[in-house]
Amino acid sequence: MPYAVPQTRHADRVLGALAGRLPAPADSSRLVSSWQRSLERYRLDPASSIGPRVLTAAALREVRDKEEAFLRASGQCLTRLHDMIRVADYCVMLTDAHGVTIDYRIDRERRADFRHAGLHIGSCWSESEEGTCGVASVLTDLAPITVHKTDHFRAAFTTLTCSAAPIFAPTGELIGVLDASAVQSPDSRDSQRLVYQLVRQHAALIEDGYFLHSLAQHWILFGHPNRHYVEAQPEWLIAFDACGNIVAANRHARDALPELREPRHIDEIFDSADLPLRDAAQLDAIVALRLRATGAPLYARLRAPLRGSARDTAGAASRRP
């Protein structure tokens, strides 16, 4: 494995920072906590230059089979993100909730270099095995992060820069991590700000795609405060059953309206006296709604349940561990 600084010097820096003798990394609270766990709980060696564990083809196939719905919902976003950042020599990886890389995008001519750095399908990135890295930090803290070069615990990964973000199911359960990594990059952490934001945005898009796929058997409300964005960039996604009981809402909707975190009927959220919501779906038109809690307008389009999706979704769910 390549490494940016001599192994012993990196180990001295990690141990010195944990002992308070040397400066801590920039995002100190999360990274130092991860370094501490890597050293004390998992007994990892910061001087190690061994690459990540990689699943066999058979084991990887078994993991991917369980994540069929997730892979289907994420594929287009992975390609789109890679198209945006490939010119800067990044690869894009998708892991499951255990840190196993189940899909990735990479330029074919650079595949050997990324593989040598440990960035390829089937690689495993849990904190207990690899210490501090982008995927492991997200799995542990459930929050996005950039782990830049010597922020990594193990010397094996100190050439890498990794920006990663969590992906959640409609239930709030972590289902995976989106990661963009480069083998070579500028030393400044600030150089990763744009990639970090792009990763966060695409993780949210994957979340919404998975939301629509897994809840296709329900009524879906697509909403936006501006009627011109309802079709192309809906921010609100709300699923409700035939009785009007809200089954789930995407993260943006829950953050904007905390009431959606609790069981609610759709009529408790929106004032739609002029036109029942399900009648609006038959019109195939954008309708103006008003939030009961704030009085703010929300423009929306409704989608009726998709035929046959309940069986398909149940089958996909049964394959998840």
Side-chain angles (χ1 to χ4, degrees):
M1 298 292 296
Y3 36 89
V5 296
Q7 295 158 271
T8 53
R9 194 199 312 170
H10 177 69
D12 289 344
R13 176 175 177 265
V14 170
L15 298 175
L18 291 177
R21 294 184 286 102
L22 294 174
D27 191 359
S28 58
S29 59
R30 289 180 66 184
L31 293 174
V32 171
S33 293
S34 179
W35 282 7
Q36 197 92 41
R37 290 190 300 270
S38 300
L39 182 69
E40 297 179 358
R41 183 183 303 175
Y42 304 122
R43 305 295 182 184
L44 299 177
D45 179 7
S48 171
S49 61
I50 299 172
R53 178 172 65 93
V54 180
L55 296 186
T56 64
L60 177 61
R61 190 180 309 113
E62 183 177 349
V63 172
R64 283 174 54 88
D65 285 347
K66 294 176 182 177
E67 303 294 345
E68 180 183 348
F70 186 32
L71 289 166
R72 188 180 302 121
S74 61
Q76 187 174 357
C77 280
L78 262 65
T79 300
R80 177 181 170 185
L81 176 58
H82 185 241
D83 286 345
M84 289 180 174
I85 60 178
R86 65 191 304 171
V87 68
D89 212 15
Y90 283 82
C91 74
V92 174
M93 302 193 305
L94 181 75
T95 81
D96 68 2
H98 304 288
V100 177
T101 305
I102 56 175
D103 202 1
Y104 77 148
R105 299 292 184 273
I106 192 170
D107 281 340
R108 185 178 299 275
E109 61 271 18
R110 296 283 283 128
R111 184 166 296 178
D113 294 332
F114 280 102
R115 185 179 183 87
H116 184 60
L119 302 172
H120 56 105
I121 197 162
S123 52
C124 303
W125 297 97
S126 68
E127 189 177 70
S128 62
E129 292 184 281
E130 303 308 331
T132 308
C133 61
V135 170
S137 294
V138 171
L139 293 175
T140 302
D141 300 327
L142 305 180
I145 195 171
T146 292
V147 178
H148 189 59
K149 293 194 166 183
T150 54
D151 292 345
H152 290 85
F153 180 78
R154 298 211 293 113
F157 308 125
T158 53
T159 63
L160 305 180
T161 185
C162 308
S163 292
I167 301 167
F168 297 99
T171 58
E173 167 198 12
L174 180 75
I175 54 174
V177 177
L178 180 65
D179 175 278
S181 293
V183 175
Q184 295 180 337
S185 63
D187 288 337
S188 171
R189 290 176 58 86
D190 290 345
S191 65
Q192 303 307 307
R193 286 183 178 179
L194 178 58
V195 171
Y196 172 78
Q197 292 300 332
L198 288 172
V199 169
R200 292 186 64 182
Q201 290 171 8
H202 283 75
L205 289 173
I206 292 172
E207 262 186 36
D208 287 349
Y210 187 78
F211 182 103
L212 294 174
H213 176 84
S214 61
L215 295 167
Q217 75 274 25
H218 295 291
W219 291 83
I220 304 287
L221 180 147
F222 300 78
H224 197 285
N226 187 322
R227 69 176 302 122
H228 300 294
Y229 291 96
V230 172
E231 302 281 9
Q233 298 178 9
E235 292 182 345
W236 292 54
L237 297 177
I238 299 176
F240 57 98
D241 64 19
C243 297
N245 299 308
I246 294 176
V247 176
N250 72 341
R251 199 181 340 174
H252 185 96
R254 295 195 307 270
D255 290 345
L257 197 66
E259 290 92 329
L260 290 170
R261 300 181 186 278
E262 303 293 334
R264 289 287 189 275
H265 190 276
I266 196 73
D267 290 340
E268 296 180 71
I269 302 299
F270 298 107
D271 181 0
S272 57
D274 294 338
L275 182 66
L277 285 176
R278 277 170 289 180
D279 290 347
Q282 305 304 321
L283 295 176
D284 191 28
I286 295 174
V287 296
L289 305 174
R290 190 166 297 279
L291 294 170
R292 291 188 183 275
T294 64
L298 187 78
Y299 297 92
R301 180 186 289 278
L302 273 82
R303 188 184 77 185
L306 300 183
R307 184 175 301 176
S309 58
R311 181 182 66 254
D312 297 341
T313 302
S318 68
R319 289 190 289 272
R320 292 190 64 82

